[in-house]
Amino acid sequence: MNLFRNFIENYTKLSIDDWQIIQKAFERRIVKRNEIFEEQGKICHHFYFLEEGLLRFFTIKEGNDITKTFTIAPYCFTSKISFRHQKPAEESIQALEKSVIWQVSYNKMNELEKIESWNTFIRKLVNEVQEYTETFLMEVRTETAEKRYEKLMQRYPTVIHKIPLKHLSSFLGIAPQSLSRIRKKLHENRKS
């Protein structure tokens, strides 16, 4: 759990007492490769810290599997609207590789809100996620799939190749064949 403590301390200072309370609230869980551990249509009862692994958020709409986003360790995540309002989720969460997560229940999360450093951490984390989402939405509207794929390769060079082509192309909003052409073109450009 030291990785989680370090992660929180990137956002705020933690006293030993605060950390002991936070640490006791979370429990460790191993998620198998390809396991879907939060399901669309069911209520999300946990907030998580991803210690190691790679996750995919997706939705099934009109029979189509649509990748919304990915979470790369180390980072916090949940099905935000479902968790916050305790209503059925509009997305599922799947481990793309064996993952180690730490989870806290909705009720224990509410208890953690009594801790000032925890509230500071959550506020800064939510702001960071919101900024990412706004940037992502702007890129979707203003940049080509090729440009967005290049940015992903620059930001996450060690992870991008772990994501199956069908999920990556769905995330970019293009057909797998189009992504294959983009990859081939970028590979050829690097050679020359």
Side-chain angles (χ1 to χ4, degrees), residues 16-103:
I16 292 170
D17 291 343
D18 286 356
W19 172 242
Q20 287 177 344
I21 294 166
I22 292 165
Q23 187 177 9
K24 284 178 186 168
F26 280 79
E27 60 181 315
R28 188 174 188 258
R29 180 174 171 189
I30 304 293
V31 184
K32 296 178 195 150
R33 183 176 183 263
N34 293 324
E35 181 180 340
I36 296 170
F37 60 96
E38 287 294 346
E39 289 185 56
Q40 184 175 342
K42 295 185 179 177
I43 296 172
C44 175
H45 295 288
H46 294 94
F47 175 85
Y48 302 95
F49 172 70
L50 178 63
E51 182 177 282
E52 65 180 67
L54 174 62
L55 308 175
R56 175 177 83 106
F57 287 65
F58 70 99
T59 188
I60 303 293
K61 201 162 198 162
E62 298 171 2
N64 295 317
D65 180 321
I66 303 163
T67 300
K68 293 173 66 177
T69 193
F70 302 97
T71 296
I72 300 163
Y75 212 74
C76 288
F77 69 97
T78 189
S79 182
K80 186 178 170 187
I81 295 169
S82 175
F83 181 74
R84 186 169 175 212
H85 299 289
Q86 288 297 280
K87 67 178 200 175
E90 295 181 11
E91 64 200 353
S92 295
I93 306 174
Q94 176 186 33
L96 293 180
E97 61 186 25
K98 179 183 170 190
S99 299
V100 177
I101 60 176
W102 292 87
Q103 62 186 33

Side-chain angles (χ1 to χ4, degrees), residues 95-156:
L96 293 180
E97 61 186 25
K98 179 183 170 190
S99 299
V100 177
I101 60 176
W102 292 87
Q103 62 186 33
V104 63
S105 70
Y106 180 80
N107 292 334
K108 286 184 180 178
M109 181 78 159
N110 286 334
E111 291 173 22
L112 291 179
E113 289 178 3
K114 297 172 187 165
I115 303 171
E116 188 177 331
S117 59
W118 179 259
N119 286 329
T120 300
F121 163 65
I122 292 296
R123 187 184 73 251
K124 289 181 176 182
L125 181 70
V126 167
N127 286 340
E128 183 176 88
V129 170
Q130 187 174 351
E131 285 176 22
Y132 167 82
T133 302
E134 288 175 16
T135 302
F136 171 74
L137 291 173
M138 183 59 72
E139 288 174 355
V140 166
R141 289 190 170 102
T142 60
E143 295 179 352
T144 65
E146 183 175 335
K147 184 69 177 165
R148 288 184 287 130
Y149 177 72
E150 282 183 86
K151 282 186 175 181
L152 283 173
M153 284 181 35
Q154 290 166 2
R155 287 181 197 144
Y156 312 108

